[in-house]
Amino acid sequence: MSNAATEWIRLGYGAMSRLTSPPALSPGIADDFVLDDRRSGGANFGTVDASGWAEFVSSIWDVSSGHVQFEMREIVATRDQRLAAYIEVLTYGGGETSESIMCVSLDPGLQMLERLVIFDLEDLGGAIAELDRLYAQVAD
């Protein structure tokens, strides 16, 4: 199961995994971008807009030893070409890992990330419900 959203993420993860420090720029983020972190424990960034994206990305390197591997372990669901839910695994320089379910929505041109919602790995139901809610919004 694959669509434009999962391929967009795969390309981004490949590029990010080659970096040894956070990127200086945040390309591919829509002006109206929103990140909504709904994880219950550990790190939680709340709501982040496009202006806070660079700081969010930098924080990933802050907990690492200089290198982070980004992996899309499993695609959980897709809705048309713009929407996907998948399991993300981050492996930090010290060998620690972090797993979450990510729901993403691309812009209508399939070029920019509009929405990112992060869920605990155990909250598959919440992630699918959010994916369906986002699909209802873009289908209107």
Side-chain angles (χ1 to χ4, degrees):
M1 161 179 16
S2 182
N3 66 0
T6 59
E7 293 309 310
W8 192 92
I9 295 294
R10 280 187 212 278
L11 287 172
Y13 278 5
M16 297 281 281
S17 290
R18 290 188 292 275
L19 299 175
T20 57
S21 61
L25 301 173
S26 297
I29 302 301
D31 290 339
D32 61 348
F33 169 81
V34 174
L35 176 146
D36 186 9
D37 191 340
R38 298 187 187 169
R39 294 176 290 179
S40 60
N44 185 300
F45 295 91
T47 302
V48 176
D49 64 12
S51 67
W53 177 250
E55 182 178 341
F56 169 77
V57 172
S58 291
S59 72
I60 295 169
W61 272 266
D62 289 344
V63 298
S64 184
S65 301
H67 193 78
V68 183
Q69 288 293 307
F70 294 78
E71 177 189 353
M72 180 186 298
R73 187 176 74 204
E74 177 185 349
I75 300 169
V76 175
T78 60
R79 303 289 185 269
D80 73 32
Q81 290 298 310
R82 292 178 61 184
L83 303 161
Y86 62 92
I87 297 174
E88 172 191 80
V89 179
L90 299 181
T91 304
Y92 301 97
E96 300 92 24
T97 61
S98 169
E99 297 179 300
S100 303
I101 300 175
M102 313 295 270
C103 287
V104 297
S105 175
L106 298 183
D107 73 316
L110 306 176
Q111 300 297 313
M112 294 190 182
L113 188 61
E114 278 188 334
R115 184 110 171 126
L116 172 61
V117 185
I118 309 172
F119 292 89
D120 292 319
L121 194 57
E122 300 78 25
D123 195 6
L124 179 59
I128 296 298
E130 179 64 14
L131 194 65
D132 289 339
R133 188 190 73 74
L134 291 170
Y135 181 68
Q137 279 185 333
V138 301
D140 288 340

